[in-house]
Amino acid sequence: MAGTFITFEGIDGSGKSTQLRLVSNFLREHGCETVLTREPGGTTIGSRLRAALLDANEEVDPLTELLVFAADRAQHVRRVLRPALAAGQVVISDRYADATVAYQGAGRGFDSSLISQIVELATEGLVPDLTLLFDISVRESTSRTMRRSNARNKRDRLDIEHADFHERVREAYLQIATSEPNRVKVIDTSGSVETTQGKVKAILIPFLRT
Ligand code: TYD
């Protein structure tokens, strides 16, 4: 039986990770077993790649960055996602291939046909059944990531990119949603955590029942 593949996407500070935590608690309480995973870092080698990719002290060439995200994804698809889906599980991934289109394509400026080829190579055509795109203005997301970094850890290598980088990433995500409205659902996260969680559940619950 084929499982269900759901991804969460959005610019840094969009509230995606908080919502993912709440959703996973909710699903567990309701007896829906899910595999929670993420990119980069959903495998053991991937967690090492993640540390290198996000280290703010590391000077990573954009081509290297593109290829390492793709390497992380290839391992994730072949060793985690495909086996779990083949076993009929519901898999939720914190980021997936749309992030490469948005960050490396629009953010770094790689040609869209190169991005498509690399995404295809790494995913072997595995496309999510549903993608929740958490959307917020860059101004608000930046103030959230600043607050978060003041409260605990530092901002990572991509968090510290300029606002125009994050604007391009956001626009690219919204463009993906416009071109694939059946797969990608945009959720405005400018309200409270609870308001956003209500919107997430309104989309997810009926989807998981069908
Ligand atoms: P994320 O997991 O959202 O980190 P956190 O929630 O801990 O801040 O993000 C990891 C970063 O990696 C994020 O800035 C987006 C970036 N990224 C890409 O640039 N390309 C990709 O293909 C992926 C999966 C992530």
Side-chain angles (χ1 to χ4, degrees):
M1 181 188 133
T4 304
F5 182 28
I6 300 166
T7 60
F8 280 30
E9 298 279 0
I11 59 174
D12 298 282
S14 60
K16 162 184 72 58
S17 303
T18 305
Q19 294 300 326
L20 187 58
R21 261 196 310 280
L22 293 173
V23 155
S24 78
N25 293 343
F26 172 82
L27 292 174
R28 201 172 324 109
E29 282 160 18
H30 287 76
C32 178
E33 280 302 316
T34 47
V35 175
L36 283 186
T37 184
R38 69 174 177 177
E39 287 190 9
T43 62
T44 49
I45 190 169
S47 59
R48 296 203 229 166
L49 298 176
R50 179 183 174 95
L53 278 167
L54 302 185
D55 184 347
N57 298 316
E58 193 73 61
E59 272 187 35
V60 184
D61 184 86
L63 180 60
T64 310
E65 178 184 280
L66 171 63
L67 296 174
V68 178
F69 276 117
D72 169 78
R73 182 161 306 126
Q75 182 79 2
H76 193 217
V77 167
R78 290 173 157 236
R79 300 299 172 96
V80 175
L81 299 178
R82 290 248 187 233
L85 293 169
Q89 291 181 289
V90 175
V91 181
I92 305 183
S93 183
D94 186 349
R95 298 195 186 280
Y96 184 62
D98 295 324
T100 288
V101 175
Y103 281 82
Q104 280 65 53
R108 298 287 185 225
F110 281 103
D111 180 72
S112 63
S113 71
L114 174 69
I115 292 286
S116 304
Q117 284 176 51
I118 289 185
V119 163
E120 179 61 31
L121 182 68
T123 62
E124 298 175 318
L126 179 66
V127 177
D129 299 297
L130 173 70
T131 296
L132 301 187
L133 172 56
F134 294 90
D135 184 53
I136 188 144
S137 70
V138 169
R139 179 193 286 259
E140 180 60 23
S141 71
T142 307
S143 86
R144 285 181 182 180
T145 55
M146 298 285 271
R147 277 202 300 274
R148 184 168 65 185
S149 61
N150 290 339
R152 26 186 183 96
N153 47 7
K154 291 209 178 81
R155 299 166 80 210
D156 71 37
R157 197 174 54 81
L158 285 117
D159 288 340
I160 59 180
E161 281 294 334
H162 291 292
D164 59 345
F165 175 89
H166 293 292
E167 291 287 3
R168 291 196 299 278
V169 172
R170 180 182 182 213
E171 281 313 310
Y173 269 135
L174 291 172
Q175 221 173 314
I176 297 170
T178 304
S179 59
E180 294 180 70
N182 289 332
R183 172 174 71 87
V184 185
K185 307 296 176 198
V186 181
I187 296 178
D188 173 1
T189 65
S190 58
S192 69
V193 169
E194 294 72 27
T195 306
T196 303
Q197 182 63 188
K199 296 177 189 171
V200 170
K201 285 181 186 163
I203 296 172
L204 264 187
I205 295 168
F207 182 85
L208 289 173
R209 284 212 185 101
T210 53

